[in-house]
Amino acid sequence: MSGAETGWVQVAGLGPGDDALITDEVRAALTEATDVVGYIPYVNRVAPRPGLTLHASDNRAELDRASHALHMAAAGKRVVVVSSGDPGVFAMASALFEALEAGPKEWLDLDIRILPGITAMLAAAARLGAPLGHDFCAINLSDNLKPWALIEHRVRLAAQAGFAMAFYNPRSKSRPHQFGKALEILRAECGADCLISFARNVTKPDEQLVTTTLGAATPEMADMRTVVIVGTAQTRRIGRHVYTPRSAPVG
Ligand code: SAH
């Protein structure tokens, strides 16, 4: 058999942080891999071993990383591309398909698989209780790959539609003011009493969970290690827990 027939790419989610939340399927892929590709902190979560080459790259290099992985698979390597959480949620799975679309036709024959992981919003929701227990949506607040005006539009419409919402990449040093704008929109559409939870470093040793109201929330409560969950008009506290009931009122 030629090398090209044995190569593969698997895009794997490492979950939110705790190794107990890595699936057996992802562990098996890492055991069989010859090469692991990904953003530095995620590659650092993979134990080195003889026969495994770790390729850690910078954050914004997603497309280069994806085509590097495809090139190596075409040359017969067994490549795992690692993402945090789930690889299909604001992560490497779509980047891999973008590179596939832009690449040579022969790549279409490659053995490519996406291995799911536990995404930050589901890990955070589980810690909080069940804030996403009714209809919900996930919005990436980073405007690296889309205009900020579109983000504002989606936040407003999601709030008007009564979805619970999970916000990824809420606030970074390079865009400190936009999250404040998102909070203003949410306050205007959902009201000051609506619950909002800030879940930082979920499942990691320094995990922090804070639930407050939109009226009391401030932009500084979020950073790039935080996933933010905003409830619906029905979302409430029960004891230490936050939950959204399964049914919505009629009318
Ligand atoms: N693919 C990842 C998301 C990548 S985008 C996933 O499925 O979880 C990066 C954003 O994810 C961060 O800015 C933050 O909003 C969120 N995030 C990732 N891991 C997190 C964690 N352990 N705790 C809280 N938020 C997290």
Side-chain angles (χ1 to χ4, degrees):
M1 222 172 9
S2 80
E5 285 165 309
T6 58
W8 48 250
V9 187
Q10 303 196 359
V11 190
L14 297 177
D18 183 349
D19 284 351
L21 299 182
I22 299 177
T23 67
D24 287 350
E25 180 181 56
V26 169
R27 283 183 202 286
L30 290 169
T31 305
E32 289 170 27
T34 57
D35 295 82
V36 170
V37 176
Y39 178 37
I40 303 156
Y42 309 151
V43 172
N44 286 345
R45 289 183 58 192
V46 178
R49 59 170 164 80
L52 178 67
T53 308
L54 300 175
H55 308 264
S57 51
D58 205 352
N59 198 6
R60 297 213 178 170
E62 286 102 347
L63 262 192
D64 292 346
R65 195 186 291 150
S67 65
H68 182 208
L70 289 162
H71 272 290
M72 286 195 290
K77 304 279 194 186
R78 299 186 295 277
V79 186
V80 176
V81 181
V82 285
S83 282
S84 75
D86 181 274
V89 179
F90 313 130
M92 283 303 298
S94 289
L96 190 95
F97 292 120
E98 288 170 26
L100 185 67
E101 223 169 34
K105 275 208 163 47
E106 299 77 65
W107 281 1
L108 296 177
D109 296 328
L110 287 170
D111 178 2
I112 296 172
R113 284 206 291 151
I114 310 301
L115 311 182
I118 296 178
T119 187
M121 70 175 172
L122 298 185
R127 280 285 196 268
L128 293 161
L132 304 178
H134 191 67
D135 298 340
F136 67 91
C137 66
I139 300 179
N140 185 348
L141 291 187
S142 166
D143 64 349
N144 284 344
L145 298 170
K146 61 188 169 185
W148 176 252
L150 177 63
I151 298 174
E152 284 193 6
H153 183 63
R154 287 184 177 163
V155 170
R156 184 171 286 113
L157 292 189
Q160 286 173 3
F163 287 116
M165 292 164 262
F167 297 114
Y168 286 74
N169 294 309
R171 186 163 169 268
S172 75
K173 289 198 186 86
S174 62
R175 39 184 189 83
H177 305 302
Q178 295 173 338
F179 182 59
K181 189 75 218 298
L183 281 180
E184 276 173 32
I185 294 170
L186 290 166
R187 241 175 253 129
E189 300 294 342
C190 308
D193 295 337
C194 179
L195 292 180
I196 179 170
S197 299
F198 296 87
R200 185 170 193 274
N201 282 336
V202 175
T203 80
K204 297 181 188 176
D206 52 350
E207 174 181 281
Q208 280 178 293
L209 300 173
V210 174
T211 298
T212 182
T213 59
L214 280 175
T218 60
E220 297 70 35
M221 291 176 169
D223 65 6
M224 284 303 274
R225 291 161 177 263
T226 308
V227 63
V228 179
I229 296 184
V230 175
T232 69
Q234 277 75 47
T235 303
R236 49 203 183 231
R237 297 180 196 254
I238 172 72
R240 287 173 290 108
H241 315 285
V242 178
Y243 95 108
T244 306
R246 293 165 299 150
S247 55
V250 177

